[in-house]
């Protein structure tokens, strides 16, 4: 055992370390049904709210008549984008400053224009059906490659402001397409030094974030001297981001109260939905707690947008990568999509885990009306998908274990010039190899006893979402 | 406004068991007020609500009173005729352990046991549940007999985000009711209608088999 310095020293009587099958702190709350998620909250006197949602992929509301909807028994209030309350409410979450809701929808099912508050959800839906909406239907883009063409209709009626994370674009936006490029080193020289060159294309389809608990919140206003003067905002269902909601309403963190702990399954998706942000405004208007919940269909958001990739990799007989030429076309989705996974991802230094410095990575990022992504990452770092494929292709070509290829190409802990191994990475890999009984062989060399092929993959950028990735790959 | 209802911060099996027992006991057996779902007016008796409907909401379908047998306890509940059992459990009875996920009978998160069979509460009208014996996760968790199952799920950490967990547990309980010593294959077959995006599937069989051993007097390695 290592001679650890510090309080633990040679201690061996840990209560948790080295033990298996220990309940987590919240396990009993989850297993017994006590745990409450945003959608579970029901409070006395609660009203319900629902958004008007666009039946079109790209549309604008010319006008909306609310008189018939207001006359539906049980309707408490109807809010439109023209209300001063709404105009004052800036959009939370991702994207540049913008109206919280307005007259424009650039994807099907987007919240647009109107929110109805009523005694229950059925009445909300009846009132929404009673709205007299005059839609201006606009041409749309739901095919990334067609959206990239010069003649394509413009997908977004609102343009993104520069992201605080994004580097300047490599060239001006044209039509729906933003451009990004990260180039370093001497690509031509890198390919000259290579003993082998492989090229391939890879298509990564969009896939759904698929959170199991539909996003929802319940909010109300109350006074509690414990938190000081003025009203407190109590909101349930905005776990981790209650302070962001408080900020939308000018409420300081100490007066934004939330007792719930459980946020459910969210993988690389931290964006609040409008249903989680609107309830404080509505609760203030009707003087009652208000609940707003998405259905599962209304949460059909991308965890990862569609992407087409082309990669050309040069490498030596030892498996050392000498040059990478990477080009991809990525779906930028509708307005308000997370800026992660788009042009700015280049700024995170794709491939910076490699010793190789001859790298070109270019990406065309195409606005579409297909959907929205709340947070993810498509390229950072070491281009997870195409980079991992490169390792496998090198391994197949040279008959090397892909883990060894990855280790050979990973630079040391200090810089890209550092050729030393990374101790923690080496230790993890060895432990993993032993645990799995990892014995790599070329594809198709062996089969299971019943003749079936089998597969196990290695990648050193691990993320649960990749378990759901589907690939179409042309080698 | 009551705010303590939300936290759900319960660290031990005993505390959780007490809490779910409290939730069940807080459900009134007899209705004492009848709230109009259209205008929120409250009436002391059902006849008053009916008369109000005839006078104020002519043509609308009035709510009905249904007697449910939930977790061994009879209780009156005022619902609209189209309400699902899932909706009634959450919005009338405060039983939020039955989860709303797909609302289409696909995911298993709203599983309850009705007359001994696991069924999907999002697909059943409450009006059809009168006189049926219904068990929810709260009833199972409050029953000391099922402590080994709850314990095993927690020991095996057969959950990640935890949203679908109760649906799995209710299905597991129904399995053990009819088969006290299931094999792994039988566990998998029984749980085939429950979906977990976190991918906790292997742990469920392990937990159920361990619980089965504990409940039949076998030891638990730990």
């Amino acid at each position: 055992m290592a001679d650890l310095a510090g309080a633990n020293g040679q201690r061996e009587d840990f209560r948790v370390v080295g033990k298996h099958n220990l309940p987590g702190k919240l396990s009993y709350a989850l297993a017994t049904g006590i745990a409450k998620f945003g959608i579970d909250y029901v409070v006395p006197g609660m009203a319900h709210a629902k958004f008007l949602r666009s039946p079109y992929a790209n549309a604008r509301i010319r006008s909306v008549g609310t008189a018939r909807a207001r006359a539906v028994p049980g309707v408490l209030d109807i809010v439109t984008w023209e209300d001063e309350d709404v105009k004052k409410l800036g959009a939370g979450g991702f994207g540049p400053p913008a109206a919280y809701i307005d007259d424009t929808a650039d994807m099907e099912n987007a919240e647009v224009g109107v929110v109805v508050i009523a005694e229950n959800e059925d009445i909300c839906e009846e009132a929404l059906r009673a709205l007299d909406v005059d839609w201006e239907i606009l041409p749309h883009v739901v095919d990334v490659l067609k959206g990239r063409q010069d003649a394509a209709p413009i997908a977004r009626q609102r343009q993104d402001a520069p992201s605080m994370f994004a580097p300047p674009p490599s060239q001006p936006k044209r039509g729906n397409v933003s451009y990004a490029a990260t180039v370093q080193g001497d690509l031509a020289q890198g390919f000259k030094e290579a003993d082998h060159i492989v090229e391939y294309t890879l298509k990564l389809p969009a896939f759904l974030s698929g959170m199991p608990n539909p996003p929802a919140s319940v909010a109300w206003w109350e006074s509690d001297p414990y938190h000081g003067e003025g009203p407190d905002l109590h909101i349930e269902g905005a776990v981790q981001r209650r302070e962001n909601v408080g900020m939308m309403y000018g409420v300081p963190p100490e007066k934004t109260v939330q007792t719930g702990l459980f946020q459910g399954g969210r993988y690389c998706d931290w964006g609040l939905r409008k249903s989680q942000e609107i309830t404080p405004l509505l609760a203030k208007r009707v003087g009652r707690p208000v609940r707003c919940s998405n259905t599962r269909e209304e949460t059909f958001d991308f965890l990862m947008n569609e992407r087409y990739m082309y990669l050309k990799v040069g490498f030596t007989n030892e498996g050392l990568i000498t040059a990478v030429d990477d080009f991809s076309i990525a779906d930028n989705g509708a307005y308000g999509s997370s800026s992660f996974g788009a042009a700015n991802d280049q700024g995170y230094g794709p491939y910076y885990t490699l010793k190789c410095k001859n790298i070109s990575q270019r990406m065309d990022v195409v606005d579409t009306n297909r959907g929205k992504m709340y947070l993810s990452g498509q390229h950072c770092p070491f281009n997870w998908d195409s980079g991992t494929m490169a390792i496998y292709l090198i391994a197949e070509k040279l008959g090397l274990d892909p883990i060894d290829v990855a280790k050979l190409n990973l630079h040391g802990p200090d810089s890209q010039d550092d050729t030393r191994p990374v101790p923690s990475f080496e230790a993890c890999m060895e432990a993993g190899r032993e645990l799995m009984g990892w014995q790599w062989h070329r594809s198709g060399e062996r089969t299971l006893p019943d003749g079936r092929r089998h597969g196990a993959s290695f990648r050193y950028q691990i993320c649960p979402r990749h378990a759901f990735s589907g690939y179409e790959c042309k080698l | 406004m009551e705010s303590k209802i939300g936290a759900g911060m319960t660290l031990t099996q005993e505390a959780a068991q007490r809490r779910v027992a409290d939730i069940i006991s807080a459900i009134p057996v007899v209705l004492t007020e009848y709230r109009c779902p259209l205008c929120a007016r409250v009436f002391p008796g059902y006849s008053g609500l009916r008369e109000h409907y005839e006078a104020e909401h002519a043509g609308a379908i009035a709510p009905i009173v249904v007697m449910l047998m939930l977790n061994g306890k009879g209780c009156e509940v005022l619902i609209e005729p189209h309400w699902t059992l899932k909706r009634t459990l959450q919005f009338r009875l405060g039983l939020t352990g039955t989860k709303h996920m797909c609302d289409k009978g696909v995911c298993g998160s709203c599983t309850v046991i009705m007359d001994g069979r696991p069924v999907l509460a999002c697909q059943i009208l409450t009006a059809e549940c009168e006189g049926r014996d219904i068990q929810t996760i709260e009833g199972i968790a409050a029953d000391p007999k099922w402590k080994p199952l709850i314990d095993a799920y927690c020991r095996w950490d057969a959950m990640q985000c935890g949203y679908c967990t109760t649906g799995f547990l209710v299905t597991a309980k129904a399995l053990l009711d009819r088969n006290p010593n299931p094999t792994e294959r039988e566990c998998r077959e029984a749980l085939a209608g429950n979906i977990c995006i976190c991918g906790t599937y292997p742990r469920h069989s392990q937990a159920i088999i361990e619980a089965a051993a504990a409940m039949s007097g076998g030891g638990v390695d730990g």
Side-chain angles (χ1 to χ4, degrees):
Chain A
M1 184 178 175
D3 184 13
L4 300 171
N8 283 329
Q10 295 292 337
R11 180 180 162 187
E12 291 181 352
D13 59 338
F14 294 105
R15 284 189 304 126
V16 174
V17 173
K19 303 268 175 66
H20 65 287
N21 292 0
L22 293 169
K25 279 195 170 184
L26 300 175
S27 295
Y28 282 105
L30 292 167
T32 58
I34 289 172
K36 279 192 171 162
F37 301 79
I39 195 169
D40 293 331
Y41 283 86
V42 177
V43 297
M46 184 174 81
H48 298 256
K50 276 197 169 289
F51 284 90
L52 173 66
R53 289 178 179 268
S54 172
Y56 306 107
N58 200 8
R60 184 183 288 124
I61 298 175
R62 289 197 192 96
S63 65
V64 61
T66 60
R68 284 198 308 126
R70 287 184 194 278
V72 172
V75 170
L76 300 172
D77 196 3
I78 293 181
V79 183
T80 79
W81 79 97
E82 294 174 314
D83 279 274
E84 290 303 318
D85 280 358
V86 174
K87 286 181 182 171
K88 279 188 252 170
L89 197 65
F94 300 109
Y100 177 73
I101 51 169
D102 59 15
D103 58 352
T104 301
D106 50 15
M107 55 181 262
E108 187 179 342
N109 236 351
E111 300 96 334
V112 58
V114 184
V115 189
V116 171
I117 312 143
E119 291 292 345
N120 62 47
E121 290 188 329
D122 299 330
I123 298 171
C124 290
E125 286 167 8
E126 188 181 343
L128 289 172
R129 286 193 294 272
L131 290 171
D132 293 306
V133 185
D134 180 13
W135 296 99
E136 179 188 2
I137 303 165
L138 302 168
H140 59 262
V141 174
V142 290
D143 181 313
V144 178
L145 299 182
K146 286 182 181 169
R148 186 167 168 257
Q149 295 169 358
D150 287 342
I154 297 300
R156 294 186 180 187
Q157 299 170 57
R158 298 158 291 200
Q159 294 303 314
D160 278 334
S163 162
M164 60 186 286
F165 302 109
S170 57
Q171 62 189 83
K173 184 171 183 175
R174 199 173 72 190
N176 293 314
V177 188
S178 304
Y179 300 91
T182 299
V183 180
Q184 61 165 333
D186 184 335
L187 208 61
Q189 183 60 32
F191 282 116
K192 261 189 207 168
E193 291 168 6
D195 299 312
H196 308 273
I197 293 174
V198 295
E199 291 178 87
Y200 65 93
T201 58
L202 177 65
K203 180 188 174 190
L204 185 67
F207 62 96
L208 163 75
S209 124
M211 62 179 77
N213 45 312
S217 74
V218 180
W220 63 93
W221 297 85
E222 61 189 359
S223 285
D224 185 346
Y226 179 77
H227 298 121
E229 291 296 313
D232 292 347
L233 167 60
H234 193 130
I235 182 158
E236 297 293 350
V239 177
Q240 279 204 339
R241 297 178 72 87
R242 71 176 169 86
E243 292 179 6
N244 300 56
V245 177
M247 283 164 58
M248 289 177 67
Y249 295 92
V251 181
E254 66 273 18
K255 294 185 72 63
T256 308
V257 180
Q258 182 169 251
T259 58
L261 295 169
F262 301 92
Q263 69 173 16
R266 306 193 71 171
Y267 297 105
C268 305
D269 177 340
W270 307 106
L272 287 175
R273 291 349 188 231
K274 289 194 187 297
S275 63
Q276 295 167 291
E277 297 171 324
I278 193 68
T279 49
L281 171 67
L282 307 181
K284 189 168 273 183
R285 286 179 70 109
V286 300
R288 289 165 57 175
V290 174
R291 174 183 190 266
C292 188
S293 170
N294 289 34
T295 64
R296 191 157 167 82
E297 289 78 9
E298 291 162 355
T299 321
F300 208 80
D301 305 310
F302 295 146
L303 186 58
M304 185 176 276
N305 285 347
E306 185 171 271
R307 187 159 51 117
Y308 296 84
M309 292 168 276
Y310 160 80
L311 193 71
K312 179 179 173 186
V313 184
F315 54 95
T316 66
N317 287 328
E318 290 72 39
L320 189 68
I321 295 171
T322 58
V324 176
D325 185 4
D326 176 314
F327 172 66
S328 55
I329 301 167
D331 182 359
N332 206 29
Y335 173 81
S337 282
S338 155
S339 53
F340 290 85
N344 77 299
D345 257 5
Q346 311 279 325
Y348 280 85
Y351 300 107
Y352 283 2
T353 59
L354 291 181
K355 288 171 183 160
C356 174
K357 289 182 175 176
N358 304 315
I359 289 169
S360 165
Q361 188 178 27
R362 294 165 297 127
M363 182 157 61
D364 288 4
V365 186
V366 185
D367 297 344
T368 70
N369 305 108
R370 291 178 44 136
K372 202 162 170 181
M373 184 167 73
Y374 279 80
L375 180 63
S376 187
Q378 296 197 353
H379 277 65
C380 60
F382 189 44
N383 200 350
W384 286 338
D385 306 292
S386 45
T388 301
M389 289 298 297
I391 286 176
Y392 272 84
L393 290 171
I394 295 169
E396 287 283 328
K397 183 95 177 171
L398 301 178
L400 297 172
D401 186 328
I403 293 178
D404 292 328
V405 175
K407 285 166 64 173
L408 176 69
N409 281 287
L410 184 67
H411 69 63
D414 288 345
S415 71
Q416 272 190 290
D417 297 317
D418 185 348
T419 57
R420 295 174 298 162
V422 180
S424 57
F425 177 71
E426 300 273 327
C428 286
M429 285 298 100
E430 289 314 311
R433 269 177 158 162
E434 189 179 335
L435 194 68
M436 293 177 66
W438 175 265
Q439 290 179 310
W440 179 81
H441 60 78
R442 277 192 167 109
S443 173
E445 275 184 357
R446 289 184 228 160
T447 61
L448 294 171
D450 62 4
R452 285 179 298 155
R453 289 193 174 185
H454 61 282
S457 73
F458 147 81
R459 69 188 306 150
Y460 65 85
Q461 289 289 346
I462 188 68
C463 175
R465 68 197 172 129
H466 288 98
F468 306 101
S469 296
Y471 297 99
E472 295 166 31
C473 186
K474 190 179 292 177
L475 304 177
Chain B
M1 183 60 57
E2 185 183 15
S3 60
K4 65 183 180 184
I5 54 174
M9 179 79 173
T10 307
L11 301 181
T12 66
Q13 194 276 336
E14 291 74 17
Q17 191 176 325
R18 281 197 301 273
R19 181 74 186 274
V20 287
D22 288 346
I23 290 169
I24 293 169
S25 68
I27 296 171
V29 174
V30 179
L31 287 169
T32 54
E33 60 177 44
Y34 298 80
R35 185 185 176 97
C36 172
L38 296 182
C39 64
R41 277 185 64 186
V42 176
F43 298 88
Y46 182 59
S47 58
L49 176 63
R50 294 287 306 213
E51 287 163 12
H52 163 72
Y53 252 72
E54 285 164 15
E56 305 288 334
H57 307 304
I61 296 172
I64 57 174
V65 177
V66 173
M67 173 62 84
L68 295 178
M69 182 57 68
L70 268 172
N71 299 315
K73 175 181 176 177
C75 58
E76 283 182 348
V77 60
L78 182 70
I79 56 148
E80 294 181 67
H82 66 282
W83 275 32
T84 62
L85 179 59
K86 161 73 200 74
R87 193 170 179 179
T88 301
L89 293 173
Q90 175 174 2
F91 289 99
R92 287 288 181 267
L93 300 167
L95 298 177
T96 55
T98 304
K99 297 300 184 190
H100 174 117
M101 192 192 295
C102 71
D103 207 30
K104 284 182 167 37
V106 172
C107 72
S109 290
C110 64
T111 304
V112 299
I113 298 174
M114 186 181 289
D115 293 339
R117 293 179 58 203
V119 297
L120 301 173
C122 74
Q123 298 297 298
I124 294 172
L125 292 175
T126 308
E128 295 178 331
C129 295
E130 199 155 37
R132 316 288 289 272
D133 178 38
I134 300 164
Q135 295 171 52
T136 68
I137 184 62
E138 289 86 356
I140 296 165
D143 184 349
K145 180 188 171 187
W146 295 100
K147 179 178 182 301
L149 181 61
I150 302 285
D151 276 342
Y153 258 73
C154 294
R155 277 164 45 82
W156 280 98
D157 203 20
M159 64 198 80
Q160 188 170 310
C161 80
Y163 194 69
C164 67
T165 309
T166 51
F168 275 91
L169 251 156
V170 172
T171 309
K173 190 266 183 187
L175 168 66
L176 292 174
D177 275 341
R178 66 178 187 272
N179 179 358
N181 291 294
T183 63
E184 182 177 355
R185 184 186 178 90
E186 288 166 338
C187 291
R188 288 180 180 215
E189 285 175 358
L191 297 172
N194 292 78
I195 291 174
C196 169
I197 192 176
C198 303
T200 59
Y201 298 107
R203 298 292 180 100
H204 294 274
S205 303
Q206 291 164 324
I208 295 167
I209 290 168
E210 179 182 293
M215 292 175 75
S216 64
V220 174
D221 174 29

